[in-house]
């Protein structure tokens, strides 16, 4: 949530900062701003709304071209409504410091009271303005910015990533993080600080990951990392990002979301590379020394949570390991967590920066339970904190709505189930067929996607006027129904609920009438007769139905959408793209902002 960029180097900084913000806009887009020092004075430009407004307001010509150090921010509001006065950067009382911030300073009201008593005034509703004034207040006492910055951060509770500039030292960026991402990009004679790599990927692939409890001081030619606790410097080597700028661009697609849906065959291929050996066995070197656990506790949020629910079916069925799946924001505060010492906590997160998921991971670690992270972002907090990490290798996912990341998570959960099954000596003929079918999924999906897209388009036009939708499934299709409903509501703002089909008659069916359609996942599997009966119950109440089904079924509904039958539960890899494409087409047809839906942000770094 919120995107931060800072640049110091030999090039005009403002175009670089604006370009960086464009790549970070997925993190928040209700207001934006830049700050820089020109002629020994701090200049801050902030606008409400999308980045385009900021672009129109910021001059990048004339004397602005001589600015070679600047900070920028794109906001997802936490404290204070999206207005210019709440946008970042925020400046301190005498306009000597400007700061951009991602996260929440939980004790800001208490600090604000103290600063008000000391004569400070505030012009925004934000916690950020309090922080920059606290730094100013502490610096006034000692005339030492680094010391004041450290003390202010030590005082701040909550989560943050911040980047600060100082009028008296205009070519230097000061930055720190706590449970929110912040990365240094090292170029030749230039330094970048950003919430995410795409912000500076056009200039450098060399990165240094900052840790909690550290302060980074970045100048064009060098950078220094200090430990807040004792002021000592920290040596950290840089890493090379393996993917390039192309991966973070639309590549001719109308939206990132569409591109990412169509990338799924490639993602399936990449995720499986090196994971199946010549004997057809799953290889997970990350877990070679880990014994199959007695129980697995899966913890995640949103789409990753749905992937976890789907994975539960496989782990229980194939590896015969009991699994619980919990929403991270619930798990982190539950009164009792009673794990066994041979349990495994599996945290799933595309970004690896979701605040609730990280807190859940921390809780599991406190209980001294082995933790495994399933994560897409190399160097993310989750990847660094979990005992073991398996990367999902979906590549950068830019669209706020998660698509290819879920596919990659499901694939890795499937390999995990097969891996533990082998370790427990449970591999049978069905499991061998599953492993074999995994390798053919990419080709199958690639061939199906154009048809799926066309069908999604025509159905979206027919159902675009609906104000509510049910999504129904049973067994391993139930989590997919939840995900279908989530996608529809987040993209098209149409109310949608995912239900286990058998639950309908326990209440929800009361809502059904001719204006309340249902999207049913009716695969030709052992539960097909059950779901067909549920469909008839809905039809008896004049409900209209779209049924995603296989050619072999006899389900008679308003709209049959046929996809080829493949072995369960791998059918999910064809179901999920249909659900994604339907939501995409609904939203696009209704003129919604597909890649940046209202009120959302890609990376939820606040709780
Ligand atoms: O990065 P994470 O997987 O931890 O994110 C969790 C959710 O915020 C995320 O899956 C969200 O639900 C999706 N963007 C929805 O499409």
């Amino acid at each position: 949530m919120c995107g931060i960029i800072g640049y110091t180097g030999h090039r005009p900084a403002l175009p670089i900062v604006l370009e960086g913000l464009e790549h970070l806009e997925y993190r928040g887009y209700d207001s934006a701003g830049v700050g820089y020092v020109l002629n020994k004075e701090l200049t801050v430009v902030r606008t409400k709304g999308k980045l385009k407004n900021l672009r129109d307001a910021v001059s990048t010509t004339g004397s602005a071209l001589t600015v070679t150090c600047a900070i920028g921010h794109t906001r997802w509001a936490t404290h204070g409504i999206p207005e210019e006065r709440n946008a970042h950067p925020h400046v301190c009382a005498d306009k000597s410091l400007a700061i951009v911030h991602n996260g929440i300073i939980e004790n800001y009201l208490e600090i604000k009271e103290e600063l008000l008593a000391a004569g400070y005034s505030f012009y925004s509703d934000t916690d950020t303005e309090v922080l920059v004034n606290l730094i100013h207040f502490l610096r006034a006492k000692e005339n030492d910015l680094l010391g004041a910055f450290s003390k202010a951060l030590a005082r701040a509770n909550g989560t943050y990533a911040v980047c600060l500039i100082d009028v008296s030292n205009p070519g230097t960026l000061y930055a720190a993080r706590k449970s929110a991402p912040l990365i240094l990009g090292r170029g030749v004679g230039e330094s970048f600080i950003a919430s995410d790599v795409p912000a500076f990927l056009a200039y450098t692939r060399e990165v240094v990951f900052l840790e909690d409890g550290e302060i980074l001081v970045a100048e064009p030619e060098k950078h220094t990392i200090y430990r807040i606790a004792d002021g000592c410097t920290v040596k950290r080597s840089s890493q090379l990002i393996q993917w390039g700028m192309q991966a973070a661009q639309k590549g001719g697609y109308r939206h990132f979301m569409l591109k990412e849906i169509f990338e799924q065959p490639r993602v399936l291929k990449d995720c499986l590379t090196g994971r199946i050996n010549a004997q057809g066995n799953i290889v997970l070197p990350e877990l070679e020394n880990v014994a199959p656990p007695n129980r697995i506790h899966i913890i995640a949020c949103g789409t990753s949570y749905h992937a976890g629910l789907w994975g539960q079916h496989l782990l229980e069925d194939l590896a015969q390991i009991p699994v619980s799946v919990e929403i991270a924001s619930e798990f982190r505060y539950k009164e009792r967590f009673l794990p066994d010492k041979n349990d495994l906590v599996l945290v799933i997160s595309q970004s690896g920066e979701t605040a609730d998921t990280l807190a859940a991971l921390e809780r599991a670690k406190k209980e001294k339970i082995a933790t495994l992270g399933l994560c897409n972002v190399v160097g993310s907090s989750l990847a660094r904190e979990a005992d073991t990490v398996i990367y999902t290798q979906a590549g950068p996912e830019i669209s706020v709505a998660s698509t290819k990341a879920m596919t990659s998570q499901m694939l890795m959960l499937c390999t995990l189930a097969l891996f533990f099954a082998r370790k427990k000596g449970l591999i049978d003929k069905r499991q061998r067929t599953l492993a074999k079918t995994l390798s053919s999924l990419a080709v199958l999906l690639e061939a199906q996607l154009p048809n799926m897209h066309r069908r999604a388009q025509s159905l979206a036009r027919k159902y675009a006027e609906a104000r509510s939708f049910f999504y129904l499934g049973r067994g391993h299709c139930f989590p997919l129904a939840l995900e279908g409903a989530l996608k529809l509501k987040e993209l098209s703002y149409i109310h949608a609920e995912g239900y286990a089909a058998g639950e309908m008659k326990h209440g929800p069916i009361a809502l059904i009438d001719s204006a309340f359609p249902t999207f049913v996942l009716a695969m030709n599997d052992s539960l097909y007769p059950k779901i067909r009966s549920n469909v008839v119950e809905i039809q008896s109440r004049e409900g209209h139905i779209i049924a995603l089904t296989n050619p072999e079924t006899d389900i008679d509904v308003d709209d049959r959408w046929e996809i080829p039958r493949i072995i369960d539960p791998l059918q999910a890899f064809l179901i999920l793209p249909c659900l994604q494409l339907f939501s995409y087409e609904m939203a696009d047809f209704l003129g919604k902002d597909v890649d940046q839906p209202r009120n959302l942000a890609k990376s939820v770094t606040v709780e």
Side-chain angles (χ1 to χ4, degrees):
M1 281 186 166
C2 298
I4 289 178
I5 169 102
Y7 174 81
T8 181
H10 49 81
R11 305 178 212 240
L14 291 170
I16 291 180
V17 163
L18 288 170
E19 182 189 340
L21 287 179
E22 241 164 57
H23 293 292
L24 294 175
E25 209 184 3
Y26 71 89
R27 301 179 67 86
Y29 31 82
D30 59 46
S31 51
V34 294
Y36 54 92
V37 179
L38 181 60
N39 301 330
K40 299 192 179 152
E41 269 186 27
L42 197 59
T43 304
V44 162
V45 184
R46 307 183 301 198
T47 51
K48 182 181 165 182
K50 292 245 176 163
L51 199 56
K52 186 187 163 305
N53 301 347
L54 182 70
R55 268 202 178 280
D56 294 343
V58 173
S59 161
T60 51
T61 56
S63 57
L65 263 186
T66 63
V67 172
T68 55
C69 176
I71 52 176
H73 187 268
T74 175
R75 180 171 187 248
W76 186 87
T78 57
H79 292 72
I81 55 169
E83 280 297 343
E84 189 271 336
R85 72 191 158 83
N86 289 326
H88 299 213
H90 287 280
V91 294
C92 67
D94 66 357
K95 297 196 171 37
S96 60
L97 302 170
I99 198 168
V100 285
H101 166 215
N102 164 27
I104 293 178
I105 309 296
E106 286 167 357
N107 53 341
Y108 81 106
L109 282 175
E110 171 194 317
I111 301 171
K112 191 172 183 175
E113 287 300 318
E114 289 169 26
L115 292 172
L116 282 167
Y120 281 79
S121 303
F122 292 90
Y123 304 94
S124 77
D125 309 320
T126 66
D127 47 349
T128 311
E129 193 187 11
V130 174
L131 181 65
V132 73
N133 277 302
L134 177 63
I135 301 168
H136 175 264
F137 176 69
L138 295 168
R139 181 202 208 173
K141 287 184 169 174
E142 304 172 20
N143 200 22
D144 167 20
L145 180 57
L146 217 51
F149 193 27
S150 300
K151 281 187 186 141
L153 294 175
R155 179 79 205 279
N157 297 337
T159 59
Y160 53 77
V162 289
C163 188
L164 179 78
I165 50 172
D166 172 19
V167 107
S168 58
N169 207 0
T172 304
L173 301 167
Y174 302 84
R177 57 156 277 167
K178 185 176 165 205
S179 305
L182 206 59
I183 302 153
L184 169 73
R186 282 287 343 162
V188 179
E190 55 191 350
S191 299
F192 304 78
I193 290 172
S195 308
D196 200 359
V197 175
F200 54 71
L201 199 59
Y203 300 92
T204 182
R205 287 188 185 197
E206 190 184 335
V207 300
V208 177
F209 293 104
L210 195 62
E211 300 282 351
D212 285 0
E214 295 175 347
I215 284 184
L216 166 70
V217 180
E219 294 166 84
E221 299 290 347
K222 63 175 177 92
H223 69 272
T224 315
I225 299 175
Y226 298 94
R227 220 167 17 226
I228 293 179
D230 55 15
C232 292
T233 55
V234 177
K235 286 254 166 297
R236 176 142 328 119
S237 39
S238 57
Q239 299 184 28
L240 268 195
I241 293 296
Q242 295 305 327
W243 42 273
M245 211 44 212
Q246 222 187 344
Q249 284 168 348
K250 281 189 203 158
Y253 285 89
R254 214 167 122 67
H255 295 103
F256 277 111
M257 181 179 178
L258 192 59
K259 175 189 174 230
E260 287 161 8
I261 292 172
F262 272 81
E263 275 176 347
Q264 290 176 112
R266 204 257 313 136
V267 168
L268 288 169
K269 239 182 268 163
D270 287 357
C271 288
L272 264 194
T273 304
R275 298 296 191 186
I276 303 188
N277 67 15
Q279 293 73 45
N281 290 327
I282 298 293
V283 188
L284 291 177
E286 300 91 332
L287 294 178
E288 235 14 279
N289 299 322
V290 176
N294 289 353
R295 271 189 309 168
I296 299 179
H297 310 265
I298 297 182
I299 302 162
C301 300
T303 295
S304 298
Y305 168 70
H306 296 154
L309 287 172
W310 185 83
Q312 175 182 31
H313 285 265
L314 278 84
L315 286 157
E316 290 185 342
D317 177 23
L318 303 177
Q320 296 177 22
I321 299 173
V323 178
S324 64
V325 190
E326 291 191 68
I327 294 171
S329 55
E330 289 297 312
F331 172 84
R332 65 181 288 189
Y333 293 118
K334 71 191 271 184
E335 297 207 343
R336 287 199 199 290
F337 171 45
L338 302 169
D340 188 89
K341 68 175 179 2
N342 293 326
D343 288 2
L344 175 72
V345 166
L346 169 56
V347 280
I348 308 176
S349 172
Q350 186 284 130
S351 61
E353 300 293 351
T354 301
D356 285 318
T357 310
L358 291 174
L361 173 62
E362 199 179 310
R363 176 155 186 200
K365 287 181 74 174
K366 270 198 194 126
E367 305 276 354
K368 305 222 178 323
I369 302 304
T371 56
L372 169 63
L374 203 55
C375 175
N376 193 36
V377 179
V378 178
S380 60
S381 303
L382 185 142
R384 283 178 289 158
E385 294 300 323
D387 298 331
T388 311
V389 190
I390 296 182
Y391 285 110
T392 47
Q393 306 202 56
E397 191 180 63
I398 310 287
S399 175
V400 166
S402 185
T403 54
K404 61 176 181 169
M406 181 169 180
T407 290
S408 66
Q409 290 164 347
M410 292 188 337
L411 190 79
M412 293 322 294
L413 286 162
C414 189
T415 59
L416 190 64
L418 288 167
F419 177 80
F420 282 141
R422 175 170 64 80
K423 278 208 155 187
K424 290 176 78 174
L426 294 171
I427 287 286
D428 59 15
K429 193 162 160 246
R430 174 171 168 248
Q431 311 208 347
R432 287 197 193 288
T433 316
L434 278 174
K436 211 163 146 212
T437 313
L438 278 180
S439 319
S440 61
L441 279 177
V443 173
L444 184 60
L445 178 58
E446 183 133 45
Q448 290 298 316
L449 274 170
N451 275 341
M452 289 175 173
H453 192 195
R454 274 191 288 277
R455 188 72 175 124
Q457 251 165 6
S458 68
L459 287 173
R461 273 143 194 70
K462 181 168 172 188
Y463 285 90
E465 280 178 11
R467 296 317 315 140
S468 285
F469 248 97
F470 273 128
Y471 279 73
L472 302 184
R474 280 176 174 262
H476 76 91
C477 284
F478 169 48
L480 301 174
L482 293 176
E483 175 61 10
L486 174 64
K487 280 285 147 304
L488 189 68
K489 64 188 134 193
E490 72 178 321
L491 292 168
S492 60
Y493 320 145
I494 293 171
H495 163 244
E497 284 187 66
Y499 258 98
E503 271 292 292
M504 280 296 278
K505 53 177 134 346
H506 298 287
I509 202 166
L511 290 168
I512 290 289
D513 62 19
S514 60
F516 197 138
T518 302
F519 196 127
V520 182
L521 307 180
M523 298 303 130
N524 191 20
D525 56 21
S526 58
L527 295 172
Y528 173 68
K530 307 285 171 207
I531 202 129
R532 192 182 45 191
S533 306
N534 300 139
V535 164
V536 173
E537 287 155 12
I538 293 168
Q539 287 172 320
S540 309
R541 274 109 192 142
E542 297 183 6
H544 294 292
I545 310 256
I546 302 174
L548 190 64
T549 190
N550 306 124
E552 305 81 21
T553 67
D554 57 359
I555 197 164
D556 184 12
V557 292
D558 302 83
D559 290 288
R560 281 176 66 91
W561 181 351
E562 292 178 2
I563 53 173
R565 171 90 183 111
I566 54 172
I567 183 173
D568 281 326
L570 303 188
Q571 187 76 66
F573 291 95
L574 297 187
I575 297 173
L576 186 61
C578 294
L579 297 172
Q580 296 164 345
L581 284 164
F582 180 67
S583 300
Y584 169 82
E585 285 299 331
M586 287 283 270
D588 193 35
F589 185 66
L590 293 169
K592 306 296 184 215
D593 190 341
V594 174
D595 282 334
Q596 295 174 348
R598 71 180 180 205
N599 305 341
L600 297 181
K602 182 75 181 159
S603 189
V604 186
T605 54
V606 293
E607 82 168 281

